[in-house]
Amino acid sequence: MTTTQEREDLLSELGLDAQNSAAIGRVLGTGRTERATERADGTMEATIRIREDEIAWDPAILVLPHGGDVELTVINDDKNTHACLLPSNGDKKFLWLLNHSKGKAKLNLDGPGYYWYSSPGGNDEGRGLTAAIVVLGEVPPEARLDRPDQPRQ
Amino acid sequence: MTVEYVDAGEAIDHGALSAVSGTAPAVTDNIDYERIKNARSESHNWITYYGDYDGQRYSLLDQINTENVKRLGPAWIFQAGTSGQIAGASTYAFEATPMVVDGVMYVTGWDGWFWALDAKTGEQLWRYKHAVPFDVSLCCGNVNRGCAVANGKVYFVTPNAHLLALDATNGKKVWEKTIGDVRAGESASLAPLVVKDTLITGSAGGEFGVRGHIDCWDLETGEQRWRCYTIPRPGEPGSETWPSDGEAWTRGGANHWVTGTYDPETNLYYAGTGNPAPDFDGAVREGDNLYSDSVVAVDVDTGEIQWHYQFTPHDLWDYDSTMEMTLFERDGKKLLGHFDKNGYFFVLDRTNGELQHVTPYVDRIDWGTITRDGKVTPRKYPDKEGEPVHFYPGPAGAKEWTHAAFSPRTEMFYVPVADVGATATRRRREFKEGMPYWGAAVQVDIDNMAGSVSAFDTYGVERWRWRNSHPMAASVLATAGDLVFAGTPTGEFLALDARTGEELWKFQCGSGHHGSAMTYMVDGKQYVAVPVGWGGWLEGIIPGMLGAGHGSALIVFALPD
């Protein structure tokens, strides 16, 4: 059995957790996971950033407790320009991220599942600058099927 | 010393970085039930899914006809290409029927896209994008079949089972309802249908073992009027066709995932239902499994099933019956025609469901037989664990969801036919919510296949056949110009002579056809529009075309000025 730490160590040893090490880009699915916080009015908040020379979003997986509105602080700590294209109901949200810049993004995500986002500038997209926002929870009770509870796992 | 960040501001709509103006004329403001009831009388528009409630996919426009169609050429092309990763990158298809109202086109795409276009020039007027989770259980493929228009709004469903009303002038959301449970494997793909002051929708997800339903929503508020489950609870009519001591009814599928037809005189909505789940393992669901693989005639005011007819009792071949129920009249009798996946053409009395006759419409059928008076005898089906069984037609059927057309001028049906078999090997699995629930390993034949556009009279007699080396997988359109339009998996868009089947014109669109062409007129000029985007459930339809380019264009044709 592989523990989380063993996995991180192995990725590091193999050079799969960084840009232009073993592989050219950073392998998807590596990186930290973090929960969003929630304000009293139900709006969720989180910060996502690109750290220097990592060319990856941190956290790689942002977890929202439920669907709804989320306000992100988006930071580029890198010395290169990137961008951010995020999923949201109505239209995708786009933000240019010059070197060492910080902006905001207001999103609405209305249901459980995971949503990809990326940096669609230049060659970023293929190099690991792809990450996920995961929305937990169930659909509203009125949208559930009228049947006894079913096995899920 | 701390260096202040450069202010990147607030994220903007991605569409702002394009030429989209964001506004469209208010052409849908006075579209109501009365206009939709008479939709064919305004054939310059296409204001309901099939062009009219009767499902005939027939237009009175005849400017483009058998004499001049050879001069048809592209007028404009809308390239839907999207940015960033899309859900199901290998499985999306462009399956929509565009709507047109007085020069404005409304068209839906896969993955929650909706576009309003200038129907004369192709200019994009506004767009809407719904955020769809990458991991939604989609059955089958990342697809959407279109929208409804009325009262200044447009309506559509999303893959994560939401129903949305958008302002037709700017694409802004007016209201939204969650209409299915994605955690249970439900999704949504059909075009809503406006009936009176309501919208009718249905669920998808039969391959994940859900309980199918048809829903009715208030057109203005989104409030639910009724829900009609297509699998009865124990004790309800039809429940005797499911095991009484088990849970089969709770996960039996029978989803309504293609728009139904409607007859204002009978006040009935004719809804096709999907296969029972699990698809191929019938031992866990003994009985006929009502109302799977059926047409259910639903009173639109109450949601009650008035009558039903089951095309494939106790289905063991994945023979959904969701596709169109075409309404027509013969000798003063109100009839319903249906080309089923099981390879047979059924004609029913639509006032009471009484069978008139049954006729095979594809060359190879060996899963079983159905006599002209409707007696069903299964012959080949997956019965023993691990034992392969080959049968015709395969699980995509002799015609999948894509639609036939009917011309009252010729009194002929035009059918996109698929003639290909498959092998299913029963592999029982325990049910888990949100997991595929097939009960077999399935391999569709990769060679030895054929297809056609076939013309049948209303008695089921074949009148002509246009043959193709691949199964047909796109809807057919008939016009008063005595033309039949059809698209092939290899990209050709065709015009055939409706009376003879002669090929009069074709255009290579660059990608396979798996959607529904339509026709309209603006400023006195007739156009034919076809969505071109090859994908979806290709491993079940034509696995030999899985490696073909996908495409994502809407191509509109017209005669030269």
Side-chain angles (χ1 to χ4, degrees):
Chain A
M1 181 176 167
T2 305
T3 66
T4 303
Q5 189 54 50
E6 285 173 339
R7 179 176 180 276
E8 293 300 317
D9 291 345
L10 183 60
L11 287 168
S12 179
E13 178 189 330
L14 294 172
L16 296 175
D17 63 344
Q19 291 294 308
N20 214 11
S21 180
I24 299 170
R26 176 170 168 152
V27 172
L28 296 179
T30 59
R32 291 191 315 112
T33 301
E34 190 172 287
R35 287 187 177 89
T37 58
E38 191 168 0
R39 297 201 300 246
D41 66 358
T43 303
M44 295 165 282
E45 294 179 311
T47 296
I48 56 174
R49 66 200 315 148
I50 302 167
R51 298 188 186 277
E52 185 174 352
D53 285 345
E54 292 195 4
I55 316 185
W57 291 103
D58 181 27
I61 301 173
L62 174 65
V63 180
L64 311 187
H66 53 76
D69 294 322
V70 57
E71 291 185 10
L72 299 178
T73 299
V74 187
I75 297 174
N76 179 12
D77 280 322
D78 197 21
K79 290 192 169 64
N80 290 303
T81 293
H82 302 289
C84 192
L85 185 63
L86 292 149
S88 185
N89 291 315
D91 201 356
K92 297 180 180 186
K93 296 292 182 183
F94 182 84
L95 191 64
W96 277 116
L97 291 169
L98 300 178
N99 314 357
H100 200 70
S101 64
K102 179 166 75 172
K104 293 271 187 189
K106 294 179 179 177
L107 315 180
N108 177 266
L109 302 171
D110 62 9
Y114 63 84
Y115 302 76
W116 289 101
Y117 68 98
S118 63
S119 170
N123 295 321
D124 279 357
E125 231 171 351
R127 302 172 66 197
L129 261 164
T130 300
I133 298 173
V134 178
V135 175
L136 306 180
E138 302 285 340
V139 301
E142 66 272 16
R144 307 279 302 268
L145 288 170
D146 181 15
R147 64 178 180 179
D149 288 342
Q150 300 292 308
R152 183 168 283 178
Q153 295 182 327
Chain B
M1 173 184 157
T2 303
V3 179
E4 290 294 319
Y5 284 108
V6 173
D7 183 7
E10 184 170 329
I12 60 173
D13 284 350
H14 198 218
L17 304 174
S18 74
V20 177
S21 66
T23 58
V27 291
T28 74
D29 282 0
N30 59 358
I31 290 192
D32 57 12
Y33 177 55
E34 290 303 315
R35 270 183 77 179
I36 296 173
K37 268 201 301 188
N38 299 298
R40 184 163 293 111
S41 69
E42 51 176 294
S43 268
H44 61 289
N45 288 330
W46 191 282
I47 60 174
T48 191
Y49 180 65
Y50 294 106
D52 194 284
Y53 278 139
D54 58 23
Q56 293 180 0
R57 288 185 51 74
Y58 171 75
S59 169
L60 293 174
L61 297 182
D62 60 0
Q63 186 179 83
I64 302 169
N65 55 48
T66 54
E67 296 300 313
N68 59 25
V69 69
K70 60 181 176 294
R71 299 170 55 217
L72 204 59
W76 54 264
I77 299 174
F78 171 65
Q79 298 281 5
T82 58
S83 299
Q85 292 203 37
I86 63 167
S90 64
T91 62
Y92 77 86
F94 203 166
E95 298 190 2
T97 302
M99 300 283 134
V100 169
V101 185
D102 296 335
V104 180
M105 176 180 287
Y106 305 96
V107 60
T108 61
W110 54 97
D111 209 35
W113 283 102
F114 196 121
W115 302 280
L117 310 173
D118 183 316
K120 190 174 176 180
T121 66
E123 178 193 351
Q124 192 174 167
L125 302 176
W126 57 254
R127 74 184 207 187
Y128 178 91
K129 172 70 175 78
H130 202 73
V132 177
F134 196 83
D135 53 345
V136 169
S137 303
L138 294 173
C139 167
C140 301
N142 193 331
V143 301
N144 184 277
R145 299 196 179 83
C147 64
V149 295
N151 295 349
K153 292 183 275 299
V154 294
Y155 306 86
F156 80 122
V157 299
T158 66
N160 62 335
H162 286 246
L163 169 64
L164 283 92
L166 307 180
D167 185 320
T169 64
N170 57 28
K172 302 297 183 191
K173 185 175 72 179
V174 179
W175 56 256
E176 175 181 12
K177 285 285 176 182
T178 310
I179 63 172
D181 185 355
V182 291
R183 303 298 302 262
E186 284 197 297
S187 54
S189 57
L190 85 178
L193 190 73
V194 173
V195 178
K196 300 182 180 175
D197 60 346
T198 69
L199 278 168
I200 296 179
T201 64
S203 59
E207 264 61 38
F208 296 91
V210 298
R211 187 181 176 212
H213 49 90
I214 305 161
D215 296 90
C216 184
W217 312 89
D218 186 284
L219 200 53
E220 286 306 302
T221 67
E223 179 189 355
Q224 189 165 37
R225 296 283 186 89
W226 50 256
R227 169 169 284 194
C228 169
Y229 279 100
T230 49
I231 302 178
R233 269 183 167 274
E236 293 178 347
S239 60
E240 69 280 1
T241 67
W242 292 89
S244 60
D245 58 349
E247 296 177 301
W249 71 273
T250 67
R251 50 189 75 154
N255 293 80
H256 176 52
W257 52 272
V258 174
T259 311
T261 53
Y262 171 67
D263 181 354
E265 292 183 19
T266 60
N267 201 38
L268 294 175
Y269 176 77
Y270 303 98
T273 65
N275 61 277
D279 304 52
F280 303 98
D281 184 358
V284 300
R285 49 171 176 80
E286 292 295 342
D288 279 357
N289 307 142
L290 289 173
Y291 297 95
S292 66
D293 289 355
S294 300
V295 53
V296 292
V298 179
D299 184 309
V300 297
D301 297 328
T302 66
E304 292 176 357
I305 296 174
Q306 299 299 306
W307 60 257
H308 72 276
Y309 186 90
Q310 190 174 38
F311 302 105
T312 314
H314 191 65
D315 178 10
L316 301 165
W317 308 269
D318 193 9
Y319 289 154
D320 307 66
S321 301
T322 48
M323 48 295 301
E324 72 288 347
M325 305 292 162
T326 310
L327 312 185
F328 69 104
E329 297 195 7
R330 186 177 66 201
D331 301 329
K333 204 163 190 177
K334 294 167 75 67
L335 301 174
L336 177 156
H338 171 71
F339 291 85
D340 199 86
K341 278 172 79 173
N342 67 20
Y344 289 89
F345 170 44
F346 294 77
V347 174
L348 310 177
D349 182 326
R350 71 173 180 267
T351 65
N352 56 22
E354 184 180 294
L355 180 68
Q356 307 299 295
H357 46 77
V358 185
T359 321
Y361 68 93
V362 66
D363 287 345
R364 293 180 289 192
I365 302 176
D366 66 2
W367 67 268
T369 58
I370 306 180
T371 58
R372 191 159 176 83
D373 61 355
K375 185 175 185 300
V376 181
T377 306
R379 298 202 185 282
K380 297 171 70 177
Y381 47 89
D383 188 29
K384 294 177 182 164
E385 194 74 3
E387 186 175 293
V389 178
H390 185 274
F391 55 86
Y392 288 101
K399 180 174 86 63
E400 224 245 349
W401 71 265
T402 48
H403 306 309
F406 175 77
S407 168
R409 274 171 63 88
T410 63
E411 295 191 315
M412 280 193 259
F413 285 90
Y414 305 100
V415 191
V417 176
D419 184 0
V420 60
T423 300
T425 307
R426 209 193 81 180
R427 300 285 188 193
R428 180 163 296 165
R429 65 153 299 151
E430 62 181 310
F431 173 78
K432 292 179 182 175
E433 209 169 34
M435 299 291 282
Y437 190 47
W438 290 16
V442 183
Q443 177 66 59
V444 176
D445 297 349
I446 208 160
D447 51 17
N448 190 14
M449 62 181 71
S452 65
V453 176
S454 299
F456 292 88
D457 68 21
T458 64
Y459 294 92
V461 177
E462 185 170 331
R463 302 283 291 277
W464 56 253
R465 182 186 298 199
W466 178 88
R467 297 175 184 276
N468 195 41
S469 57
H470 286 90
M472 297 298 280
S475 298
V476 166
L477 168 71
T479 73
D482 278 348
L483 293 171
V484 173
F485 289 93
T488 70
T490 47
E492 291 86 9
F493 190 49
L494 308 157
L496 307 175
D497 187 314
R499 297 186 183 278
T500 65
E502 180 188 355
E503 182 182 305
L504 301 175
W505 169 87
K506 68 180 174 184
F507 183 90
Q508 172 54 253
C509 293
S511 178
H513 293 257
H514 195 35
S516 299
M518 50 77 71
T519 186
Y520 62 96
M521 182 176 273
V522 182
D523 293 342
K525 189 180 184 75
Q526 184 183 355
Y527 298 84
V528 179
V530 62
V532 184
W534 182 242
W537 184 48
L538 288 183
E539 70 272 29
I541 299 171
I542 314 174
M545 289 294 289
L546 264 169
H550 279 250
S552 60
L554 176 78
I555 305 180
V556 177
F557 298 90
L559 295 171
D561 290 328

